[in-house]
Amino acid sequence: MFHSFAVCFFVILSVFLLAGCAKIATPVGGPKDIEPPVIGKEVPANQSVNFSGQKIAITMNEFFTLNNPTENVMVSPPFKNQPDYLVKGKTLIIKIKDTLRENTTYNMVFSNCIQDFTEGNKLNLYHYSFSTGNAIDSCMLKGTLSNAKSLEKGEDYVVMLYRQDIDSLPMTTTPDYVTKSMTDGSFTFQNIAPGAYKVFALKDINSNYLYDLPNESIAYADKMYEAYPEPRKDSTGRPIDTAFTPEAITLYAFEVADSCPKLMRYENPEAGIYKFPYTKSVTTFEAQSHTGNNDYFQSWNPTQDTVTWYFKSLNFDSLSYLLTADGHTDTVFLKPYKAKSNSGGRAGGNAQQTVQKLRVTFQNEGHFYKPLTLSFSYPILPTDTFEAMLISKTDTEAVRIAVPDTFTTKLAIPLKMESKKSYQLIIPDSVFRGYNGLTNDTLKSSFTCKSEKDYGNIIMSYSLSEEIDYPVIAQLWSDKAMVAESAFRADTTITYEHLDPGAYQVKIIHDLNGNGHWDTGDYRRKMQPEAITTYPSAINVRAYWDVEEEFKIDKSK
């Protein structure tokens, strides 16, 4: 009896010891999962016909999440009621709440919203369709969408099709088909019925498939487009019907210009500085103080759509002003500046303690053709001429610097320098006094002066087609900065000189109304935005080299 009890006790003790030693651990090593979920079983099967149920089940090969299906799942024709999307294990269950139309093909497009649970790898596009009739519609339409002004690809626009060509439809009626544009601006409608369609795109802010907000960016085609049969494909997925080339749909998105400038939220980038951006250029501007503080310096940006105030005192309580821009009035309440803490929150503190010195930065250091320029964080007061020291290995020279007899935020310093020679410029402290009373620290800039051989030129010959009966505006861009701009009506050659090596782009604005700048569109007035065309490729500038190019400009379509 005792022996049996001892054996049982030993077995139980061993089990507990082994359980205590055993641990469940995640396997270490192996390649990282970089693949998105793969569609497995679909019930009913994709492209089923005679569909009469209210439930769809789609099973993946791994656990996954569904990100914001309300915005990222497009259903065509649109449902009146959003379906329920439930994730159970590896299966997505879709519960339809609508009464489905008879003899209709429905398409569900999942755009970048299905992603695996562990690594977040996204399934870029998944298209599920079914028909309540005897056949799946087999026509399609596809195209591209870009921003009309920047020419950047139009991503995440709702693209809509209407069977009728009625201008008011996008503002009053939900579309017959919807899809979403991809990251490259492309959009595709599959499994749609044959016929001609009105094409419209929308940055649908309130997600109602209607153009009903003034700040919704839109795009539209000037004509109806005929849907065409989807090309047949071989076993490898390559099209068999290669002879047929459908007409391309190209859309350009824009926002309608405000009839009067509207004030956006003011900015307070640092103590004493307040920026008031407007939605368009301002012709007349007045400010009336409700609190009796008008002790500020005012300046405008080059495009006349943002006014900046620099207050003389950095310490004040909240201020109130009535701003009137081209007859449109706004009341603004300015709060004292509070510096951000290191953790990203708002920290309290006296503004004068936050900013102790006038910030000064150097521009065009060592440039052969442009003068060294000082940029001030605050407008500086007029002051007497002062001396700075220009030091090289062979010489030290006192440089007299004159400050303009007016407020300024930039100061050019012409220096006589030799190419390929190293210099250091030293400017004493407290020679500049900002409108806020702060002065500069000692300023030092070390650089090597470039030579003419460090720059290149572009010689561009522009020729206009005979159909162009309006001026065009040529712009030269480097990255996101415009380098030069010229307007002309006839063939011309422009030499862009003294360019830093790098890639440049040429843009042409088709200035149809001849007002000297780009104009947006207006859907209600059936006005497309003015077209912008670009030179086919980037122009690479090399040092001490002339690049000669020809740009044949055809009439915008």
Side-chain angles (χ1 to χ4, degrees):
M1 183 72 178
F2 175 80
H3 177 72
S4 299
F5 175 81
V7 171
C8 291
F9 177 80
F10 177 78
V11 171
I12 294 172
L13 180 61
S14 300
V15 170
F16 272 96
L17 288 174
L18 289 173
C21 294
K23 294 182 180 180
I24 300 175
T26 302
V28 179
K32 182 179 178 180
D33 180 15
I34 59 173
E35 297 296 329
V38 176
I39 305 299
K41 187 177 181 181
E42 300 160 320
V43 180
N46 202 347
Q47 298 200 338
S48 291
V49 296
N50 298 316
F51 182 91
S52 60
Q54 300 293 122
K55 177 180 174 182
I56 299 169
I58 302 168
T59 302
M60 316 289 170
N61 68 330
E62 60 181 318
F63 293 103
F64 68 97
T65 59
L66 187 67
N67 179 34
N68 197 1
T70 302
E71 293 186 7
N72 297 321
V73 181
M74 313 296 292
V75 181
S76 290
F79 290 146
K80 292 181 179 179
N81 303 298
Q82 277 287 336
D84 288 334
Y85 298 93
L86 306 175
V87 177
K88 291 187 175 181
K90 299 179 182 180
T91 300
L92 170 63
I93 298 174
I94 305 168
K95 294 184 178 180
I96 301 172
K97 300 179 181 179
D98 280 30
T99 299
L100 300 178
R101 306 178 193 177
E102 295 181 355
N103 298 315
T104 301
T105 296
Y106 284 85
N107 296 278
M108 305 186 75
V109 179
F110 297 77
S111 176
N112 285 309
C113 57
I114 298 174
Q115 59 187 47
D116 66 41
F117 189 81
T118 54
E119 299 294 341
N121 300 311
K122 294 182 179 180
L123 182 61
N124 291 335
L125 192 69
Y126 170 55
H127 184 187
Y128 179 88
S129 61
F130 62 88
S131 174
T132 57
N134 294 324
I136 292 283
D137 291 328
S138 58
C139 286
M140 66 182 300
L141 277 174
K142 62 194 311 183
T144 57
L145 174 67
S146 303
N147 181 281
K149 188 174 184 180
S150 68
L151 301 183
E152 294 177 349
K153 302 302 182 183
E155 178 184 1
D156 284 340
Y157 277 74
V158 177
V159 189
M160 303 178 282
L161 298 182
Y162 302 86
R163 295 177 185 272
Q164 295 175 291
D165 188 14
I166 302 174
D167 291 342
S168 62
L169 284 178
M171 296 174 280
T172 61
T173 308
T174 55
D176 294 298
Y177 295 101
V178 295
T179 191
K180 183 173 281 191
S181 60
M182 306 301 290
T183 55
D184 61 354
S186 66
F187 59 87
T188 302
F189 290 92
Q190 291 178 284
N191 304 126
I192 63 176
Y197 292 92
K198 180 183 183 70
V199 186
F200 193 89
L202 181 66
K203 205 69 170 177
D204 194 12
I205 296 176
N206 53 2
S207 302
N208 65 350
Y209 298 146
L210 294 176
Y211 176 43
D212 56 357
L213 294 178
N215 58 335
E216 288 182 322
S217 181
I218 64 167
Y220 68 96
D222 287 319
K223 65 175 185 178
M224 302 277 279
Y225 280 86
E226 194 78 26
Y228 53 87
E230 186 169 356
R232 294 176 301 157
K233 298 179 181 179
D234 60 20
S235 59
T236 65
R238 295 180 179 179
I240 298 174
D241 304 322
T242 57
F244 173 68
T245 302
E247 184 178 3
I249 303 175
T250 305
L251 302 180
Y252 293 96
F254 62 92
E255 287 187 28
V256 177
D258 292 309
S259 57
C260 61
K262 294 180 181 179
L263 179 65
M264 295 183 283
R265 185 175 182 178
Y266 79 79
E267 302 169 9
N268 183 202
E270 62 180 81
I273 300 179
Y274 294 85
K275 295 178 179 289
F276 305 101
Y278 283 87
T279 55
K280 62 178 296 187
S281 297
V282 173
T283 304
T284 61
F285 179 83
E286 294 180 359
Q288 180 182 352
S289 174
H290 294 158
T291 47
N293 188 338
N294 285 312
D295 205 359
Y296 56 80
F297 174 74
Q298 177 176 297
S299 69
W300 286 88
N301 67 337
T303 53
Q304 204 72 10
D305 58 11
T306 300
V307 61
T308 302
W309 286 357
Y310 301 88
F311 279 86
K312 189 170 187 179
S313 172
L314 300 185
N315 296 296
F316 49 78
D317 294 327
S318 296
L319 303 176
S320 174
Y321 292 87
L322 180 68
L323 306 183
T324 304
D326 291 351
H328 182 79
T329 60
D330 294 279
T331 299
V332 296
F333 300 92
L334 306 185
K335 297 180 180 180
Y337 177 80
K338 290 185 179 181
K340 293 182 180 180
S341 67
N342 292 334
S343 60
R346 298 288 280 185
N350 186 294
Q352 191 74 37
Q353 296 173 349
T354 303
V355 181
Q356 294 291 336
K357 285 291 184 179
L358 180 70
R359 285 191 296 105
V360 187
T361 55
F362 290 90
Q363 297 175 338
N364 302 331
E365 293 172 287
H367 203 288
F368 187 75
Y369 293 102
K370 298 178 183 179
L372 180 69
T373 301
L374 303 182
S375 180
F376 302 94
S377 61
Y378 233 78
I380 61 170
L381 303 171
T383 186
D384 295 332
T385 300
F386 65 92
E387 282 191 352
M389 303 301 296
L390 184 63
I391 304 171
S392 67
K393 289 183 178 181
T394 58
D395 192 18
T396 298
E397 177 187 358
V399 180
R400 301 294 299 179
I401 299 177
V403 179
D405 190 22
T406 182
F407 291 103
T408 185
T409 56
K410 288 186 179 295
L411 178 62
I413 303 176
L415 299 173
K416 294 181 179 180
M417 299 178 295
E418 298 178 23
S419 299
K420 302 303 181 182
K421 193 171 183 179
S422 297
Y423 294 90
Q424 183 180 55
L425 179 68
I426 302 176
I427 298 176
D429 67 286
S430 303
V431 296
F432 301 116
R433 182 174 295 275
Y435 184 65
N436 53 9
L438 300 180
T439 59
N440 64 287
D441 270 331
T442 299
L443 304 173
K444 296 181 180 180
S445 175
S446 299
F447 54 87
T448 299
C449 183
K450 295 181 180 180
S451 73
E452 61 179 343
K453 293 183 178 181
D454 291 310
Y455 304 91
N457 303 318
I458 296 175
I459 303 171
M460 178 65 77
S461 296
Y462 296 100
S463 60
L464 307 182
S465 65
E466 295 180 356
E467 296 82 10
I468 294 182
D469 55 358
Y470 50 82
V472 299
I473 302 170
Q475 296 178 337
L476 181 68
W477 288 77
S478 174
D479 196 12
K480 294 185 178 181
M482 188 170 66
V483 177
E485 183 179 72
S486 304
F488 47 89
R489 283 179 170 271
D491 296 356
T492 187
T493 298
I494 299 176
T495 300
Y496 302 101
E497 296 181 306
H498 311 151
L499 301 175
D500 290 316
Y504 291 80
Q505 184 183 38
V506 174
K507 294 182 180 181
I508 297 295
I509 297 175
H510 294 257
D511 189 16
L512 300 180
N513 59 8
N515 65 354
H517 59 78
W518 178 83
D519 289 290
T520 188
D522 189 330
Y523 177 72
R524 290 175 175 84
R525 297 168 60 191
K526 298 301 289 180
M527 290 175 52
Q528 291 281 8
E530 288 183 331
I532 297 178
T533 54
T534 60
Y535 192 65
S537 61
I539 303 174
N540 294 310
V541 173
R542 292 184 292 168
Y544 206 52
W545 198 266
D546 289 343
V547 182
E548 297 186 18
E549 300 287 347
E550 295 182 359
F551 194 171
K552 173 69 173 178
I553 304 171
D554 296 318
K555 189 171 184 178
S556 61
K557 298 179 181 179

